[in-house]
Amino acid sequence: MSSTSLPPGYTLKCGHPPVDVYLNLRRATSLSPKTPAQAAAAHQGSWYAVYVRHEPTETIVGMGRVIGDGGWYFHIADMAVLPDHQRNGLGDAILRALLKEIEDKAPPGPYVNLVADEAGKKLYAKYGFVETTPRSVAMEKRYDGPRS
Ligand SMILES: CC(C)(COP(=O)(O)OP(=O)(O)OC[C@H]1O[C@@H](n2cnc3c(N)ncnc32)[C@H](O)[C@@H]1OP(=O)(O)O)[C@@H](O)C(=O)NCCC(=O)NCCS
C-alpha cells in the first residue's frame, strides 16, 4: 500500500511487532492480556500481519493480523491502535492492508470474519463486514490460563 494513505509521520510495515510491543499494544487498548509464549506462537501462526510506526517517536502504535489457511478461511485479529493515535485513520489503513493481501493472494471467493468490539464496528462495516445474526451467532469457549 502507498504511504500516502497514512497521515504524515506514520509508516505501515509488513510483519509483527516485537513480542513485548505486541503485548503492550493489547494491554494499552484493553484487549485481553496475553503471555510472551502465547504471543510468540500467535506470530508463528499468522498468515499475514502489519504494524504502524510513528516515525517521529520511533514507536509502534498500531497493528493487525490475519489468521488463515491461505485457501478460503481468514480471520482478522489483534486490531489495535494506541489511544493517543486513534481516530487518525490508522485502523482504517491497517484493515485496508489486511484485506488487500487477502484479495491479492487468496483464491477467488475467500471468507473473512472477525469478532467486532464496539470500537471497531463502524470501521468494519465501512469495508463490507455485516453482522452474522440472526443467520448465525458467534460462539466461544474460554479456558483459564496464565495472564501476563
Ligand atoms: C478499533 C481501533 C483499532 C480503530 O483504530 P483507529 O485508528 O482509531 O481507527 P480509524 O481512525 O481508522 O477510524 C476510527 C474512527 O476515527 C475516525 N477518523 C479517522 N480519521 C479521523 C480524523 N482525522 N479525525 C477525526 N476522526 C477520524 C473514523 O471516521 C472513525 O470514526 P467513526 O467510527 O466515527 O467513523 C481502535 O479504536 C482500537 O485500538 N480500539 C481498542 C482495541 C479494539 O477494540 N480493537 C478492535 C477489536 S475488534
Side-chain angles (χ1 to χ4, degrees), residues 29 79-81 86-92 115-117 119 122 124:
T29 54
M79 287 285 298
V81 172
Q86 289 177 7
R87 301 190 69 83
N88 283 321
L90 302 182
D92 190 290
V115 177
D117 288 351
K122 211 166 153 191
Y124 304 134

Side-chain angles (χ1 to χ4, degrees), residues 90-103:
L90 302 182
D92 190 290
I94 290 167
L95 183 61
R96 214 164 347 108
L98 299 179
L99 292 176
K100 183 172 182 338
E101 185 71 8
I102 295 170
E103 287 157 14

Side-chain angles (χ1 to χ4, degrees), residues 66-83:
V66 179
I67 303 160
D69 58 20
W72 65 272
Y73 191 96
F74 299 87
H75 178 76
I76 298 203
D78 282 328
M79 287 285 298
V81 172
L82 288 180

